[in-house]
């Protein structure tokens, strides 16, 4: 299965959080949801770090040399 885009991962993570907050899942499902949530969080964080690095590179290119 291909890695989700940032937006897909974020939507799925939000759905998991909502379900966890409702508290209507059994222990096994809670464990699976938590594990998937952790995975999605790592995906989102990694993608954000990559974008932040690209933005910093672009800013460095735009700054005049002194």
């Amino acid at each position: 299965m291909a890695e989700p885009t940032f937006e897909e991962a974020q939507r799925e993570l939000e759905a998991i959080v909502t379900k966890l907050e409702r508290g209507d899942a059994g222990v096994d499902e809670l464990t699976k949801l938590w594990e998937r949530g952790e995975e999605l969080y790592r995906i989102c964080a990694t993608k954000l770090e990559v974008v932040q690095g690209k933005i910093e590179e672009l800013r460095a290119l735009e700054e005049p040399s002194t």
Side-chain angles (χ1 to χ4, degrees):
M1 186 169 145
E3 184 173 283
T5 65
F6 175 83
E7 291 79 7
E8 292 167 340
Q10 183 180 27
R11 279 192 299 274
E12 186 179 348
L13 184 55
E14 288 171 354
I16 288 171
V17 169
T18 299
K19 190 161 191 170
L20 290 173
E21 287 176 340
R22 283 197 318 251
D24 60 356
V27 174
D28 289 339
E29 186 179 10
L30 283 173
T31 301
K32 289 177 185 176
L33 289 170
W34 186 270
E35 289 171 350
R36 179 63 176 158
E38 287 287 325
E39 179 183 353
L40 292 166
Y41 171 79
R42 283 191 298 276
I43 289 169
C44 288
T46 300
K47 289 182 183 290
L48 287 174
E49 287 174 11
V50 168
V51 169
Q52 183 178 7
K54 288 179 182 179
I55 290 171
E56 289 173 5
E57 287 176 19
L58 291 172
R59 282 187 178 161
L61 291 173
E62 290 180 357
E63 292 179 358
S65 300
T66 54

